[in-house]
Each structure stands twice: as structure tokens, then as C-alpha cells.
């Protein structure tokens, strides 16, 4: 059987919202964080710089509070259905997120996703330091990781599906035969060959 791979972004794709904005709400700076996120997703800011700036505002929050918020993040409409449907069609399903393992690990376990690649909020003694590191820190991180997975799993570009909503998903589009812009910023739509504006992920199953 042909190997097939589906890669999903997390924030505003598998999850209905932006993880950082849920954290920011806790300390009353949601609008400040949202403004930076929106610029980054439109491609107006370098992703690394925007990520490190936003995380710096979280300094002092407890890891317990972060984990508690993550357990209540809302699934996107159709998330369970699309993962189930893709697996039935023989896809390996992976999540690439510029967000954080506190959210992606429990989500991916809940959805039956095969692997997740994301970032880690640094903490000391259970308190966030405002620093971040990990696998998805840069504009091109998703594309570079996708190339490695394709080589490792022997999967062609033609048999790769990618789904995202913002500028930091662009780098993986060039390595995918099916490029889905899901309720996306215009910069991503311009580079997609499947555009879905109805916020239900199960619409993707029409194209596979």
C-alpha cells in the first residue's frame, strides 16, 4: 500500500483558537498578544521574533495553570471526523505546531494523531520563565520537518496533504501535493490548491 501523510497545523486548525491568546486572557493581555499573532499569521512579522516576544509576557504563570487551560481548549469542528477519515484512507496523521506541548500532546492523544512536533515553554520550579525552545520555532520549521518525515517514511510530495491557516504554514506547502488553506489568511490561500472557508475540518475528506 502507498504511504500517505497528512500534516495539520494546531492553532486555529485542529484547535478552535490561538493557545497563546487563551493564556494571555488569564493575565489580562489578550489584545496585546492577539495583535502580534495576527501580524505573524499574515506574514508581517518574523515568526521566531513574534513567538519569543509573546511567550516573554507569560513569565510568572504557573505550569499547573497552563496545563489546566490546555485541558479546556476547544476542538475545531470536524477534527475527530477528519482524523478518523484520513486514517481509514491509509494516512499517517501528524501535527506541526508553533504552539506548545502542554496543548498538543493531550490533544493529539485524544484525536489519535500519530505524532506531534511543537515547542516547549521553559519553566523553573513550576513557573514559566518567559522563554521557549523546540522543534517549530522558525518560519521554515514546518517545511524542514516535513522533508525529514517524507524521507524517513518514504512518502512522496504527491501523497502528502498539509493543512494550515497562517504564514508559518507556508513552508510546508511546497512539499505537499494537496495544500489546504483552512479559514486561512490570504497569504496562505494564494499558495493553496484547496481552499476551505467553512470552519469544519471534515470538508477535507471530499478532496482525498
Amino acid at each position: 500500500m502507498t504511504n500517505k501523510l497528512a500534516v495539520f497545523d494546531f492553532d486555529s486548525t485542529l484547535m478552535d483558537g490561538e493557545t497563546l491568546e487563551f493564556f494571555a486572557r488569564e493575565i489580562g493581555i489578550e489584545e496585546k498578544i492577539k495583535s502580534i499573532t495576527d501580524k505573524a499569521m499574515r506574514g508581517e512579522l518574523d515568526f521566531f521574533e513574534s513567538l519569543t516576544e509573546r511567550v516573554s509576557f507569560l513569565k510568572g504563570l504557573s505550569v499547573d495553570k497552563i496545563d489546566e487551560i490546555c485541558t479546556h481548549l476547544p476542538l475545531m469542528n470536524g477534527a475527530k471526523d477528519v482524523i478518523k477519515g484520513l486514517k481509514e484512507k491509509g494516512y499517517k496523521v501528524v501535527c506541526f505546531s508553533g504552539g506548545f506541548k502542554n496543548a498538543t500532546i493531550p490533544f493529539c492523544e485524544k484525536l489519535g494523531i500519530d505524532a506531534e512536533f511543537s515547542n516547549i515553554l521553559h519553566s523553573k520550579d513550576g513557573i514559566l520563565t518567559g522563554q521557549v525552545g523546540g522543534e517549530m520555532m522558525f518560519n521554515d520549521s514546518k517545511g524542514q520537518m516535513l522533508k525529514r518525515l517524507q524521507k524517513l517514511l518514504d512518502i512522496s510530495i504527491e501523497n502528502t496533504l498539509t493543512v494550515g491557516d497562517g504564514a508559518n504554514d507556508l513552508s510546508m506547502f511546497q512539499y505537499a501535493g494537496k495544500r489546504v488553506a483552512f479559514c486561512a489568511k490570504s497569504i496562505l490561500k494564494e499558495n493553496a490548491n484547496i481552499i476551505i472557508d467553512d470552519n469544519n475540518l471534515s470538508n477535507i475528506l471530499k478532496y482525498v
Side-chain angles (χ1 to χ4, degrees), residues 153-194:
L153 301 172
D154 190 27
I155 293 170
S156 68
I157 287 175
E158 292 71 32
N159 288 312
T160 302
L161 165 87
T162 53
V163 188
D165 73 303
N168 71 319
D169 298 311
L170 263 180
S171 67
M172 61 180 179
F173 269 26
Q174 64 185 296
Y175 304 110
K178 291 186 173 72
R179 304 179 295 279
V180 181
F182 179 76
C183 298
K185 301 289 188 284
S186 57
I187 189 169
L188 204 65
K189 286 183 179 181
E190 288 161 14
N191 292 273
N193 55 14
I194 299 168

Side-chain angles (χ1 to χ4, degrees), residues 3-9 82-83 86-87 90-96 113-115 146 149 153 155 159-163 172 178 204 208:
N3 293 333
K4 292 184 281 192
L5 178 65
V7 181
F8 285 81
D9 170 47
V82 76
I83 304 303
L86 287 168
K87 291 195 144 205
Y91 280 84
K92 288 280 184 197
V93 183
V94 174
C95 171
F96 286 175
I113 286 172
D114 296 298
L146 179 52
L149 282 186
L153 301 172
I155 293 170
N159 288 312
T160 302
L161 165 87
T162 53
V163 188
M172 61 180 179
K178 291 186 173 72
I204 291 167
V208 294

Side-chain angles (χ1 to χ4, degrees), residues 21-30 61 65 68-69:
E21 289 170 23
F22 286 97
F23 297 162
R25 192 175 297 167
E26 186 64 29
I27 47 178
I29 57 165
E30 189 178 359
L61 267 176
K65 174 52 72 176
E68 183 197 328
I69 293 167

Side-chain angles (χ1 to χ4, degrees), residues 120-135:
I120 298 164
L121 292 166
H122 185 252
S123 63
K124 271 188 176 176
D125 304 319
I127 303 296
L128 297 191
T129 64
Q131 295 178 300
V132 61
E135 301 144 348

